[in-house]
Amino acid sequence: MEIQILGELTVSRDDQATSVPAPKQRKLLALLIANLNRSVSLDRALETLYGDDLPGNATRALRFHVSKLRSALEPDVPATQRISVIRTTPNGYQLDLTPASIDAHRFVTLANEATALIPAKPGEAASKAEEALTLWRGEPLTEFEYDDFAQPIRSELAERKLVLEETRAEAQLALGNSDGATALLRPLIDSHPYREGLYALLMTALYRSGRQVDALAVYQDARDLLLEDLGVDPGPGLSQLEHQILTQAPGLLPPAAPGVGHNLPPVVPLIGRSDACDTLDDLMAQHRLVQITGLPGVGKSALAVARAHGLHSSFPDGTLFVRVGDNVSHRQIVEQFGAGLSAITGRGVDDGNVIRTVAGREALVLLDGCHRSPTVARDVITRLLADGDRVSVIATTRAPIDGLPGAGMTLDPLDATTDGAQLLRELLGDSAEEDQGPRSSAADLGAIARTAGGLPGSIEIAAAAIRVGAAGGESSEQIEHTIMDARTTDLAEEVANGLPTDALNLARRLACFTDGLELDEILEIVDPTLGPVSVLD
């Protein structure tokens, strides 16, 4: 038997959850749970159930509710033998159960284990935290929130949950997943704006992501809020962290594991990319810069990260990963270089000379997503190649960045019938073998991969859509239509974001003509004086 108090108060037996229907019996059960394996006196039980409005024969009424509660907890036991769970004591009643029978006790145990594992085993800590949070179906004992007996346990569990969520974010930070930690911390700060420890974790996560300015802005926001609402400055811990970020203290960055010397994201298994891997390796052996181009979702980043891992041993001074964001400034890129180089070397770097420092090393730099800020990316790559002759660069971008030396390769979509179908099958896992609608055959998988255009990113969307669609009973055609809508919409938005203003305006005007237009008709719509060459450009 299991009793759940995280969320609605229910009793589970053989995976079947049932509620205790009568309000008085639910309150009595909650009182006994709050005093698990301890006797609750008759006076305490009567006061909790009735307050000052005691019935005529209060003791008899209490015995009636105890009997009904025993019947709910032990329905298969004869009435005269229902004494093992709720035991009668000399002065009252006692709920005799192992703590593991109460979901809240298991939650606390897992939370304590996660906290203890953080320093040495953050991966296990993260798993324990996730396991504990799956038990949290809602606030505990909400229907008794105004009762004295429930308030202490509610407060304790709420604090335990908050600490556990901090632990989960801290574990992600220790695992090098700074972006994941940031995503977890922002909503926590919104819910608990005066908890300085959350700000400290968020500042650290942002700094490790190469976002020093954003980390300092978080401190300023926290300071403004505390001064305005509470009239106090941040504590010494938060103030010291601000100073460490300003001075780029090496201790803020996680130490690089022995023999690693890189800050690359985890490698993603590749399917159907053996030729592309060989091509990239050959180009890297001949050129200091290789640009990988291709459509959104074609897998440029996955290929680049996988080969950067594979080529890492050829670069004794390390491998540096830098993500180029939308409209990123040169300063923000430099901060990422500084944070990444500090993480690799375990030492602070002079932020003003970080590009020159990297350029002088026999290192590999992976600049991911250069199309988001091509001008800044071109300037950084130019400086890297000009300030040293040993550094090598891989750049991922949708279209080649003009004005750069080196070589380029275009990554094509997967062959949908073979590699695309295989990727979809692996993303679906064991479920691909089940006879459930669109997952029933290799032909269906190939058709869906073709609908996704052979783009690994779209095939991942397809896999998610198949799971949801199959659960909802959608047909293969409905799922393919959903995938096509999502893929074309996302692709159009991605392409539009990279167009010059004139080209975007032209594209919007031409989009009205769904049946297409001849070139002379296009010239009439745009400007006949421009000429065909200008319009096509």
Side-chain angles (χ1 to χ4, degrees), residues 4-10 26 30 103-104 107 133-145 150-162 165 188 191-192:
Q4 301 169 345
I5 67 171
L6 297 175
E8 182 184 1
L9 176 61
T10 57
R26 292 172 65 81
D103 61 349
F107 173 82
L133 288 169
T134 58
L135 296 174
W136 192 278
R137 298 172 297 115
E139 297 293 327
L141 304 177
T142 51
E143 58 188 305
F144 313 116
E145 60 180 316
Q151 290 175 4
I153 191 170
R154 281 172 52 80
S155 298
E156 179 188 355
L157 288 172
E159 176 63 21
R160 292 274 189 160
K161 180 174 183 283
L162 178 55
E165 289 176 320
L188 285 179
S191 302
H192 307 277

Side-chain angles (χ1 to χ4, degrees), residues 379-400:
D379 292 345
V380 169
I381 294 172
T382 300
R383 282 193 56 193
L384 281 171
L385 299 179
D387 289 351
D389 58 3
R390 298 197 299 163
V391 69
S392 296
V393 180
I394 298 175
T396 67
T397 180
R398 292 189 189 137

Side-chain angles (χ1 to χ4, degrees), residues 336-357:
Q336 280 202 65
F337 268 94
L341 187 57
S342 296
I344 291 172
T345 62
R347 302 187 301 274
V349 296
D350 180 356
D351 192 49
N353 295 319
V354 65
I355 298 293
R356 183 174 298 173
T357 301

Side-chain angles (χ1 to χ4, degrees), residues 99-400:
S101 301
I102 312 295
D103 61 349
H105 283 270
R106 297 204 312 280
F107 173 82
V108 170
T109 298
L110 289 168
N112 290 339
E113 290 175 354
T115 302
L117 286 166
I118 271 288
K121 299 178 180 179
E124 293 184 28
S127 298
K128 290 284 185 182
E130 293 291 347
E131 184 180 355
L133 288 169
T134 58
L135 296 174
W136 192 278
R137 298 172 297 115
E139 297 293 327
L141 304 177
T142 51
E143 58 188 305
F144 313 116
E145 60 180 316
Y146 300 113
D147 289 276
D148 291 342
F149 77 87
Q151 290 175 4
I153 191 170
R154 281 172 52 80
S155 298
E156 179 188 355
L157 288 172
E159 176 63 21
R160 292 274 189 160
K161 180 174 183 283
L162 178 55
V163 171
L164 181 62
E165 289 176 320
E166 286 185 80
T167 297
R168 179 171 61 163
E170 189 177 351
Q172 292 301 319
L173 199 55
L175 291 169
N177 185 10
S178 300
D179 291 341
T182 299
L184 293 172
L185 288 164
R186 288 201 183 278
L188 285 179
I189 288 176
D190 290 340
S191 302
H192 307 277
Y194 305 127
R195 199 173 183 95
E196 293 189 25
L198 295 175
Y199 290 105
L201 286 172
L202 179 57
M203 290 167 65
T204 304
L206 290 170
Y207 181 77
R208 290 183 181 178
S209 298
R211 299 165 62 183
Q212 182 181 20
V213 173
D214 292 339
L216 294 171
V218 168
Y219 174 82
Q220 191 60 50
D221 290 343
R223 183 174 183 273
D224 292 345
L225 179 72
L226 294 173
L227 278 173
E228 182 176 347
D229 290 3
L230 306 179
V232 299
D233 279 313
L238 210 57
S239 299
Q240 183 181 6
L241 179 58
E242 183 208 22
H243 177 73
Q244 291 175 321
I245 291 174
L246 282 168
T247 58
Q248 297 185 354
L252 287 179
L253 297 168
V260 175
H262 68 75
N263 66 336
L264 291 167
V267 65
V268 177
L270 300 178
I271 291 176
R273 294 301 191 197
S274 57
D275 290 344
C277 289
D278 292 341
T279 299
L280 180 56
D281 289 356
D282 291 342
L283 291 175
M284 289 299 299
Q286 303 172 50
H287 302 276
R288 294 177 56 207
L289 168 65
V290 176
Q291 297 187 56
I292 305 175
T293 60
L295 290 170
V298 78
K300 302 181 294 293
S301 298
L303 173 66
V305 169
R307 291 319 303 144
H309 276 279
L311 296 168
H312 170 63
S313 60
S314 302
F315 295 90
D317 291 332
T319 302
L320 184 62
F321 175 85
V322 174
R323 181 177 285 109
V324 181
D326 292 320
N327 301 315
V328 71
S329 68
H330 186 276
R331 176 67 183 175
Q332 290 171 319
I333 290 288
V334 168
E335 288 174 357
Q336 280 202 65
F337 268 94
L341 187 57
S342 296
I344 291 172
T345 62
R347 302 187 301 274
V349 296
D350 180 356
D351 192 49
N353 295 319
V354 65
I355 298 293
R356 183 174 298 173
T357 301
V358 174
R361 298 166 63 94
E362 192 171 350
L364 173 63
V365 174
L366 170 51
L367 281 166
D368 186 39
C370 294
H371 55 274
R372 297 187 179 94
S373 300
T375 301
V376 174
R378 179 173 55 244
D379 292 345
V380 169
I381 294 172
T382 300
R383 282 193 56 193
L384 281 171
L385 299 179
D387 289 351
D389 58 3
R390 298 197 299 163
V391 69
S392 296
V393 180
I394 298 175
T396 67
T397 180
R398 292 189 189 137

